Amino acid sequence: MDARDRLRLYLEQRRELGESEFVLDSLPLEEALRLIGHKGAPSAGTPTPAGAEATRPRSPRDEPATGGNWKDALKAIGAEETAPAAKTKKPAASARAAAPATSVAEPTPAEPTPAEPTPTEPTPTEPTPTVGSPAEPGTGIVVGASRRASMDGPLAALASLDDVARHIAACTACELYKSAKNSVPGEGNPQAGFICVGEAPGQTEDETGRPFVGRAGDLLTKILEAVQLKREDVFICNVLKHRPPGNRNPAPDEIKACSPYLLRQLELLQPRVILALGTFASQTLLQTALPIGKLRGQVHRFHGVPLIVTYHPAALLRNPAWKRPAWEDVQLARRIYDSAVQG
């Protein structure tokens, strides 16, 4: 590995830890990556797409742990087949804390390099096991009480998903109903144990009254099929049940108005696992501001239900490099689902 590769690896690791700048003569981290020719860095003057996740995913392992022909599965969800990532050595913690004082091509020779960890063992500074590895995923955030605790209020009297959908269609608890063409309560199998939750309906969803249609919906269908799940076998919905104007981010009062509907849907469905799609849905459900890169690879709990975080299909269309990490996330969710069914 030459000096350029070592510096690129170092900068990528700093970004994975949530840092946005790396002091090198006041040079931002993304600009440094661009200057050394890193293809994943945005070009100068290019804004980050609205709603795109800011955290770059970790490099995937050579082989998912669930078995099977993973290359075929990657092709099935539209991911490019890439060569396995080369094993690299990580800089020591002391080296991470200090910015290189020499030129880009010549890092400081005194940087110590620890022994390379085995692929299935996390390093001391990154305790969360890699998704898809045989290691047990880390315990994540816990939100709410056990799902056995019934909710109070008028929604508790809604006895079916159809009842919830009719109630949502007549809802005026926030201002979204005024600009929306249709409510989008969700759709799928009423007995589904696998639930996909996104952020909010988009324009096509608003026009049709169905969640996850269009290109992003097609990709979600392919991802589910790659783990032997048909769209009609799962239940798909969003945090918000009406489209925010212009696809803007949901407002706090809108989330507050719609959340009881999602909770009642989950009570009726009694799911075995929830797959949270995208940064906003994940942060909303888990009540956190942590980036999606730090929420992945853990088993969270939402009112007693295991919850796995992954990238939104629309983000995968913009960033093909995230398709394989998303594939690993869906595999983890499928393993949890299978374990619950067998148990």
Side-chain angles (χ1 to χ4, degrees):
M1 179 184 297
D2 60 19
R4 185 182 294 269
D5 290 334
R6 292 180 62 196
L7 179 58
R8 182 172 62 250
L9 174 63
Y10 176 73
L11 294 175
E12 289 174 352
Q13 290 170 340
R14 303 311 302 172
R15 181 164 57 185
E16 289 175 5
L17 294 175
E19 298 184 9
S20 61
E21 291 192 357
F22 172 72
V23 180
L24 184 65
D25 294 333
S26 301
L27 190 65
L29 186 150
E30 295 292 348
E31 181 68 11
L33 286 171
R34 186 184 68 81
L35 290 176
I36 65 174
H38 178 52
K39 64 181 181 180
S43 57
T46 301
T48 301
E53 288 82 352
T55 305
R56 184 182 183 274
R58 294 184 173 86
S59 297
R61 299 299 183 191
D62 291 346
E63 191 76 25
T66 56
N69 191 334
W70 61 268
K71 291 186 178 180
D72 289 343
L74 284 176
K75 291 178 182 177
I77 65 172
E80 296 78 0
E81 181 178 339
T82 56
K87 294 182 179 180
T88 55
K89 295 182 179 181
K90 295 173 66 65
S94 59
R96 292 181 181 181
T102 58
S103 65
V104 170
E106 297 293 337
T108 305
E111 291 182 343
T113 303
E116 179 183 349
T118 59
T120 57
E121 293 180 354
T123 61
T125 55
E126 297 178 3
T128 302
T130 301
V131 180
S133 72
E136 184 70 20
T139 300
I141 298 172
V142 177
V143 174
S146 168
R147 63 181 177 183
R148 293 187 178 90
S150 299
M151 66 185 305
D152 298 323
L155 295 186
L158 302 179
S160 70
L161 294 174
D162 289 339
D163 291 340
V164 177
R166 284 189 288 270
H167 207 282
I168 290 171
C171 181
T172 59
C174 71
E175 299 295 312
L176 290 182
Y177 78 96
K178 294 181 178 179
S179 58
K181 295 180 180 179
N182 289 292
S183 61
V184 187
E187 67 179 22
N189 185 352
Q191 283 76 46
F194 195 106
I195 312 300
C196 299
V197 180
E199 172 186 335
Q203 180 178 354
T204 308
E205 288 80 3
D206 182 46
E207 293 172 351
T208 62
R210 299 182 58 210
F212 281 90
V213 292
R215 292 182 65 209
D218 290 342
L219 181 54
L220 176 60
T221 299
K222 292 179 181 178
I223 292 173
L224 293 172
E225 289 175 348
V227 289
Q228 291 75 53
L229 288 171
K230 296 180 180 179
R231 183 182 174 103
E232 55 267 28
D233 293 335
V234 305
F235 192 85
I236 303 174
C237 61
N238 290 294
V239 174
L240 294 193
K241 308 305 184 182
H242 288 96
R243 179 197 181 199
N247 291 347
R248 63 164 172 76
N249 285 340
D253 64 310
E254 296 163 356
I255 297 172
K256 182 179 180 181
C258 279
S259 292
Y261 293 119
L262 178 60
L263 287 175
R264 185 55 185 159
Q265 287 175 318
L266 293 176
E267 280 188 345
L268 293 170
L269 289 162
Q270 291 291 292
R272 293 181 171 92
V273 66
I274 298 171
L275 183 65
L277 302 166
T279 297
F280 192 88
S282 302
Q283 291 178 340
T284 299
L285 291 171
L286 296 177
Q287 301 176 18
T288 180
L290 288 174
I292 194 169
K294 293 187 178 297
L295 296 174
R296 288 185 57 249
Q298 302 181 67
V299 180
H300 308 281
R301 294 274 171 175
F302 182 77
H303 292 268
V305 183
L307 184 148
I308 305 301
V309 169
T310 194
Y311 299 99
H312 195 283
L316 300 182
L317 293 172
R318 296 191 301 267
N319 303 276
W322 289 348
K323 289 181 179 179
R324 182 164 175 174
W327 162 242
E328 295 173 342
D329 298 333
V330 178
Q331 283 185 305
L332 174 58
R334 179 64 202 246
R335 291 201 301 271
I336 293 174
Y337 173 76
D338 289 342
S339 296
V341 171
Q342 295 169 3

